Amino acid sequence: MMEDPPYKVLIKKRVLKGLDKLPERVQDKFWVLAHDLAVQGPMPKGWPNLSKLTGDNYHCHLEYRWVACWRYENGSFVIEVYYVGSREGAPY
């Protein structure tokens, strides 16, 4: 029997809609990241340029041009992905 991961990853609806417009390899990397967030928490190991931004916000590069951003409130078990897209359009 598989256990539920320790963190719940919520993905904003607009992120899911925009994800379809990204290259397939970037979409695949995002789903691996979402799994790693659920299992390891807001700072999963092995992701390039992963860092904490201001406040409760984090980001990492899926590829050179593509990033993901999420919010995690310390002490919570919920991670909210609020952006996946180009570096140029990232909200940081």
Side-chain angles (χ1 to χ4, degrees), residues 8-80:
K8 181 173 183 168
V9 178
L10 300 177
I11 302 167
K12 293 276 202 181
K13 283 185 183 180
R14 74 172 182 266
V15 169
L16 290 172
K17 286 182 181 180
L19 201 56
D20 289 342
K21 297 175 182 139
L22 301 181
E24 194 171 325
R25 69 185 185 282
V26 175
Q27 292 179 44
D28 293 343
K29 287 181 183 181
F30 170 73
W31 291 114
V32 172
L33 172 65
H35 174 267
D36 287 354
L37 289 169
V39 173
Q40 298 180 40
M43 294 288 288
K45 294 176 177 44
W47 288 92
N49 299 338
L50 185 141
S51 64
K52 183 170 181 170
L53 302 170
T54 58
D56 297 331
N57 299 309
Y58 298 78
H59 95 297
C60 80
H61 289 240
L62 300 171
E63 286 189 356
Y64 178 76
R65 266 192 75 206
W66 307 103
V67 299
C69 300
W70 59 92
R71 187 171 295 113
Y72 167 74
E73 189 176 320
N74 196 17
S76 167
F77 290 98
V78 176
I79 296 170
E80 179 188 58

